[in-house]
Amino acid sequence: MHTALQHESIVRAKTRFIHSEVEPATLDEILPRVVLESWRRSLSAGIAPTGPALPRHFGRGDRHTEVAAAAAAELDSVVAYGRGESFRMLFADHQGLILLKTDADRASSKDFDVIGMSPGRLHREDNIGTSAIGIALRLGRPAHLHGPQNYHSSLSNFSTYAAPVFHPRTGEVEGLVGLVCRADRATNLLYNITVQTARNIQTEMSATRDEEANMLVAAYRGNSDSDHVACAAIGLSIEITNIAMRQLLSAREIEELRRYLSTGNLPRTRTVHLDTAAGQRVTLRVRPVETRSERIGILVSLTSRTDVSRPSSAATSVDEKGGGCGRIREAERSAILSVLTECAGNRAQAAASLGIARSSLYRKIEKYGLENV
């Protein structure tokens, strides 16, 4: 999270950038490149960085779709878990139109309504400027913007988070999960919760009345432990991939994996090497998913690749009995475990990295049984 000094530095940099008083290259040290590029697009689109805060109202949109129904249940689960915390969960359609909102703390509801974080408001870059929803929609991956990184001045005191929800069969972006909170309440855990919620919605959409497809969904849930570890479940008419796998493999490469379904003597575990379109050589573990009489799909997980951008955290199982809240708790536990490992167990450093009080960290360490980390 930004300090007060960093906050003011970004505000000044944005003002100079908008008035063409500074070269974009000089802002690289204080801004992520994706934010700077979004600022540039917002400026080119003629979006005013100050003035009326609310984006245009486009109506309520279609809240009766498959993805919206799945989102409504998941947002309720998150808010139940975070009851009393000052944040709002959102769900937007594939165009960035907010369809649903759920508040963890009703006292903060008006603050979020005033800045247009409410149903019927369109949060594309060309309508409101840079925000997490707009960036996630454009890039097809999770985004987090803190304070003045958001383009419009009305959002300067808020943090915004967003993660896309992909249709498990078509691979198209079906919608986005959003989260907004005051900047002084922002933590890295909220980012993890946003991403986990999007993943939960995608998994729920995979459930069908087809018994074989449901078996494949169940197998995927048991195999998928983190969005940082690429994994997928692939059948003849269904594919479920997490964010990491979708960024790693193209549709052509997934089709190449699908041919293993027809391999006559596929062993219980098989190692497959693929050269991806991105120029990486990846090693994948492929395991069959079978009924008593036939193979219905395969489970695929990443073992290694030539260019590893970030090491994966230790794998932990997902608590399916806990439903949505169980998966949210697992996201929080995984985030804390990862940071504790990076900080070599130093509680003070870990708390600072997570953006939470040290006392809160100690309670969560005890809650999740991480005392020996």
Side-chain angles (χ1 to χ4, degrees):
M1 302 304 105
H2 297 151
T3 64
L5 184 61
Q6 290 171 321
H7 182 103
E8 291 303 320
S9 177
I10 295 173
V11 170
R12 289 196 299 271
K14 185 194 298 183
T15 301
R16 295 172 62 197
F17 172 77
I18 290 169
H19 292 89
S20 302
E21 297 174 357
V22 60
E23 290 295 324
T26 65
L27 301 177
D28 284 346
E29 294 183 2
I30 61 173
L31 280 176
R33 179 161 293 277
V34 293
V35 174
L36 185 58
E37 290 173 350
S38 181
W39 280 9
R40 186 180 294 112
R41 290 192 296 270
S42 301
L43 190 62
S44 298
I47 305 298
T50 58
L54 290 177
R56 291 170 56 196
H57 195 284
F58 280 80
R60 291 285 178 172
D62 188 356
R63 292 178 290 172
H64 302 290
T65 61
E66 177 188 11
V67 64
E74 288 296 332
L75 264 59
D76 286 343
S77 294
V78 176
V79 167
Y81 169 73
R83 185 68 65 191
E85 298 292 332
S86 182
F87 67 83
R88 169 175 284 183
M89 294 296 300
L90 303 163
F91 181 75
D93 68 11
H94 66 287
Q95 295 182 329
L97 179 67
I98 296 177
L99 302 178
L100 305 170
K101 69 168 185 178
T102 311
D103 293 314
D105 176 22
R106 291 183 179 179
S108 304
S109 179
K110 290 184 179 180
D111 293 339
F112 301 135
D113 288 339
V114 167
I115 59 174
M117 292 292 180
S118 54
R121 304 295 179 177
L122 185 66
H123 277 262
R124 286 202 315 251
E125 280 184 342
D126 59 359
N127 193 55
I128 187 60
T130 303
S131 71
I133 291 177
I135 289 181
L137 184 64
R138 184 179 183 88
L139 301 182
R141 62 174 188 254
H144 166 215
L145 271 68
H146 186 65
Q149 289 180 344
N150 294 286
Y151 185 76
H152 198 277
S153 60
S154 64
L155 297 176
S156 290
N157 293 319
F158 294 86
S159 281
T160 58
Y161 307 77
V165 176
F166 298 98
H167 194 285
R169 295 178 184 136
T170 67
E172 298 297 321
V173 174
E174 288 286 294
L176 299 103
V177 172
L179 188 151
V180 58
C181 67
R182 295 198 67 84
D184 58 1
R185 298 293 186 91
T187 71
N188 291 337
L189 291 178
L190 294 178
Y191 173 83
N192 285 277
I193 286 172
T194 305
V195 173
Q196 181 68 45
T197 303
R199 180 172 169 237
N200 292 349
I201 294 170
Q202 184 176 321
T203 303
E204 289 301 318
M205 289 174 62
S206 304
T208 70
R209 294 183 179 180
D210 183 282
E211 183 177 356
E212 292 184 357
N214 282 334
M215 287 180 63
L216 200 60
V217 170
Y220 170 78
R221 285 177 170 175
N223 187 60
S224 174
D225 51 44
S226 169
D227 265 338
H228 299 317
V229 181
C231 55
I234 301 173
L236 291 175
S237 61
I238 181 175
E239 66 183 56
I240 315 163
T241 64
N242 68 356
I243 294 171
M245 183 65 84
R246 192 167 299 282
Q247 292 176 343
L248 187 68
L249 300 180
S250 67
R252 178 185 63 79
E253 290 149 357
I254 288 178
E255 280 302 316
E256 188 173 341
L257 286 170
R258 185 172 271 118
R259 70 182 174 83
Y260 282 94
L261 281 171
S262 58
T263 302
N265 297 309
L266 183 64
R268 297 306 303 169
T269 302
R270 181 170 185 168
T271 299
V272 175
H273 302 286
L274 277 181
D275 292 322
T276 70
Q280 293 181 321
R281 183 169 178 79
V282 298
T283 302
L284 302 168
R285 183 176 64 171
V286 178
R287 292 181 290 162
V289 180
E290 299 171 325
T291 65
R292 290 184 178 181
S293 59
E294 63 178 334
R295 181 181 306 136
I296 62 170
I298 54 174
L299 289 174
V300 182
S301 56
L302 176 68
T303 299
S304 65
R305 55 178 167 173
T306 56
D307 179 24
V308 180
S309 58
R310 119 163 96 172
S312 62
S313 58
T316 51
S317 62
V318 176
D319 177 11
E320 291 300 330
K321 293 181 181 180
C325 287
R327 296 193 292 271
I328 294 300
R329 292 190 186 96
E330 183 57 34
E332 184 176 66
R333 184 187 187 279
S334 297
I336 293 172
L337 176 60
S338 177
V339 172
L340 282 171
T341 302
E342 291 175 2
C343 296
N346 187 304
R347 272 48 174 170
Q349 290 182 11
S353 178
L354 289 166
I356 61 178
R358 199 181 308 181
S359 58
S360 296
L361 177 61
Y362 278 114
R363 286 195 297 272
K364 293 178 186 295
I365 286 174
E366 182 179 0
K367 175 182 177 181
Y368 295 124
L370 301 174
E371 293 90 344
N372 295 325
V373 177

